[in-house]
Amino acid sequence: MPILTPQLKNEVYSVINNIANDHEIYLDCINGVEDHVHLLIRLRTDQSVADIVKTIKAKSWEYFKDDAEKYITWQDGFASFSISPTHLPRVRSYIYNQENHHREKTFGDELKEIKQSAKI
C-alpha cells in the first residue's frame, strides 16, 4: 500500500534509525518509496536477518500505532539478499536512488529483477 508519504517517510526512517541504534543493528543506509523500504544492514555473527526485521517492524509499529494519521503496518514477509563488500557502493547508490528507479519500475518488477540478477 502506498502509505509512506514524503512527510511520514522521513519520520519512519528516523524511527527505524533510532531502533537500529537502540538494538545494536548496524544500519548502513535506508530509503524507499511509498510502498516499500530498503535497508542495507551489516549483520554481526549473533544476529539473524529474521530477528532484525522482526525488531524493526515491531518497534516501528509500536511507535506509530496510537496515531491514526501516522499509522503504519508492515507486510508479513520480507526479501533479503547478501552482498559482497565490493558491491557496497553499487547497492548504496541503488538504495539512495529509489525515487528515480521507481519512476520506471514497480515493486514487483524490481523484486523480479533482483532475483534474476542474484540467480535465485
Side-chain angles (χ1 to χ4, degrees):
M1 298 284 299
I3 62 171
L4 290 176
T5 62
Q7 303 85 346
L8 182 58
K9 187 165 65 168
N10 290 330
E11 188 173 359
V12 168
Y13 295 171
S14 177
V15 167
I16 290 173
N17 192 48
N18 290 336
I19 292 165
N21 288 333
D22 291 346
H23 293 272
E24 298 181 10
I25 298 167
Y26 178 70
L27 177 59
D28 186 296
C29 64
I30 182 172
N31 198 16
V33 291
E34 298 84 6
D35 63 353
H36 70 278
V37 175
H38 290 269
L39 307 173
L40 179 58
I41 294 174
R42 182 182 311 152
L43 296 177
R44 296 188 326 251
T45 57
D46 63 337
Q47 294 175 316
S48 72
V49 174
D51 287 342
I52 286 176
V53 171
K54 181 179 178 181
T55 298
I56 290 172
K57 285 182 175 184
K59 298 291 183 182
S60 60
W61 177 82
E62 189 72 29
Y63 180 89
F64 290 104
K65 72 176 183 172
D66 294 326
D67 187 339
E69 292 184 19
K70 296 180 181 179
Y71 182 81
I72 62 168
T73 185
W74 299 105
Q75 71 179 25
D76 290 334
F78 62 91
S80 170
F81 304 92
S82 62
I83 62 166
S84 70
T86 58
H87 290 110
L88 279 170
R90 186 171 141 225
V91 172
R92 285 182 188 122
S93 176
Y94 174 79
I95 290 172
Y96 287 136
N97 289 300
Q98 282 294 290
E99 291 85 0
N100 292 334
H101 179 71
H102 284 289
R103 286 191 186 120
E104 300 172 9
K105 294 181 184 172
T106 67
F107 176 66
D109 291 339
E110 174 187 40
L111 195 53
K112 287 177 192 172
E113 182 180 286
I114 291 170
K115 287 180 178 181
Q116 288 173 346
S117 68
K119 307 220 183 338
I120 295 175

